[in-house]
């Protein structure tokens, strides 16, 4: 019978290998160049989002890549399941994990996190007179902090996607989400009313791993830093 469980050798390889966590979706689509410049060539299936595989080898026997949801990159790195990762600054701001160190702005997947609302209600009244507002978002912490600085209590409806339809379905007055070209807002009858933060992707590392494996992780930070200056 074929062994189902990994051998002791495989288990020890899995523990000593460094793991780089990458997010599915827009960031993954734009990070192939920076990976290439840093000398990382993952197996091609990484970029095939219909592949069910989650872990991929690279041209470096000591480095594997895992492909996870963008919010989960930060969680895997914070808990040490992955030692390094590439993660949007939106996710870092939302979670604010003390275990994560973000040494490099990779200047990719640039967008903004903004407030938007239906064209029909935008500008109808003055938000500075509001005491509370209902807002749909997948960023409850960023959202609450943003409105609190304006003296407004945000009643957050926490969605994981498709928040653009929340106002038209009567769930909320506004939404807070990532905006790049603005096409998604436009297609759903919304208009951007305020930019909260400009967003880009960062290289992130687990602070404990950086202390216990300083040479390996320091080497990868240096490679990514160099990649940023490579034309
Ligand atoms: P757009 O129509 O180009 O403004 O893109 C907006 C949609 O894409 C929203 O659903 C966003 O959540 C998503 N989006 C835009 N930029 C990014 C990014 N850098 N990372 C992840 N999702 C993004």
């Amino acid at each position: 019978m074929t062994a189902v469980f990994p051998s002791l050798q495989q288990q020890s390889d899995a523990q000593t290998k460094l793991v780089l966590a990458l997010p599915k979706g827009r960031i993954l689509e734009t990070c192939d160049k920076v990976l290439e410049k840093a000398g990382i060539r993952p197996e091609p299936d990484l970029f095939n989002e219909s592949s069910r595989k989650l872990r991929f080898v690279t041209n470096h026997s000591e480095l594997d890549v895992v492909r996870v949801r963008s919010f989960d990159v930060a969680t895997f790195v914070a808990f040490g399941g992955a030692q390094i990762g590439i993660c949007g600054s939106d996710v870092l701001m939302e979670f604010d994990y003390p275990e994560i160190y973000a040494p490099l702005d990779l200047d990719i997947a640039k967008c903004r996190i903004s407030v938007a609302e239906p064209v029909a209600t935008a500008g109808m009244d003055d938000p500075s007179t509001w005491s509370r507002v209902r807002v749909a978002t997948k960023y409850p912490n960023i959202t609450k902090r943003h409105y609190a600085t304006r003296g407004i209590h945000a009643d957050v409806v926490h969605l994981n996607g498709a928040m653009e339809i929340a106002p038209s379905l009567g769930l909320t007055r506004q939404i807070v989400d990532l905006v790049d070209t603005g096409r998604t807002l436009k297609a759903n009858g919304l208009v951007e009313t305020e930019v909260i933060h400009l967003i880009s992707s960062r290289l992130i590392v687990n602070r404990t791993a950086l202390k216990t494996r300083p040479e390996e992780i320091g080497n990868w930070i240096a490679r990514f830093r160099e990649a940023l200056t490579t034309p």
Side-chain angles (χ1 to χ4, degrees), residues 26-27 109-111 138 164 177-184:
R26 288 218 188 182
I27 298 178
K110 293 208 274 190
C111 59
K138 58 179 169 193
E164 291 87 357
D177 196 15
L178 296 183
V179 181
D180 179 12
T181 62
R183 280 201 285 266
T184 308

Side-chain angles (χ1 to χ4, degrees), residues 22-227:
L22 297 178
K24 298 174 179 182
R26 288 218 188 182
I27 298 178
L28 187 63
E29 286 163 23
T30 55
C31 74
D32 55 341
K33 283 196 194 73
V34 73
L35 291 179
E36 178 70 38
K37 286 181 191 169
I40 301 171
R41 283 193 301 280
E43 56 183 302
D45 237 15
L46 170 70
F47 299 101
N48 170 12
E49 297 229 7
S50 60
S51 154
R52 301 267 166 163
K53 227 172 139 166
L54 299 172
R55 184 170 182 150
F56 305 86
V57 295
T58 70
N59 55 322
H60 299 272
S61 57
E62 75 289 2
L63 181 74
D64 278 2
V65 171
V66 293
R67 183 180 61 196
V68 298
R69 283 168 187 254
S70 63
F71 275 61
D72 294 340
V73 168
T75 310
F76 275 105
V77 173
F79 285 89
Q83 291 73 35
I84 49 180
I86 293 180
C87 183
S89 52
D90 51 322
V91 175
L92 298 176
M93 277 188 274
E94 178 63 20
F95 288 127
D96 204 16
Y97 280 122
E99 260 307 317
I100 291 181
Y101 167 50
L104 285 181
D105 184 348
L106 298 174
D107 209 31
I108 56 171
K110 293 208 274 190
C111 59
R112 52 205 187 267
I113 183 162
S114 295
V115 179
E117 72 175 86
V119 178
T121 57
M124 226 170 60
D125 52 1
D126 179 3
S128 69
T129 63
W130 299 352
S131 58
R132 56 200 312 152
V133 62
R134 281 166 76 92
V135 188
T137 188
K138 58 179 169 193
Y139 303 98
N141 295 325
I142 293 175
T143 299
K144 284 187 181 146
R145 278 200 300 266
H146 168 72
Y147 285 90
T149 61
R150 280 151 180 67
I152 302 171
H153 176 86
D155 292 306
V156 168
V157 176
H158 191 174
L159 296 175
N160 291 311
M163 43 267 231
E164 291 87 357
I165 53 166
S168 66
L169 295 179
L171 247 63
T172 63
R173 164 88 186 245
Q174 297 190 320
I175 70 165
V176 165
D177 196 15
L178 296 183
V179 181
D180 179 12
T181 62
R183 280 201 285 266
T184 308
L185 293 182
K186 197 163 180 220
N188 290 286
L190 302 176
V191 63
E192 188 177 4
T193 54
E194 200 175 358
V195 174
I196 302 178
H197 295 292
L198 297 178
I199 303 296
S200 61
S201 290
R202 312 286 158 107
L203 183 74
I204 60 171
V205 303
N206 175 283
R207 286 184 193 275
T208 308
L210 183 57
K211 281 193 199 122
T212 53
R213 301 170 76 169
E215 279 185 18
E216 288 162 277
I217 295 178
N219 172 44
W220 284 112
I221 296 174
R223 277 175 173 257
F224 275 99
R225 184 169 285 123
E226 223 176 284

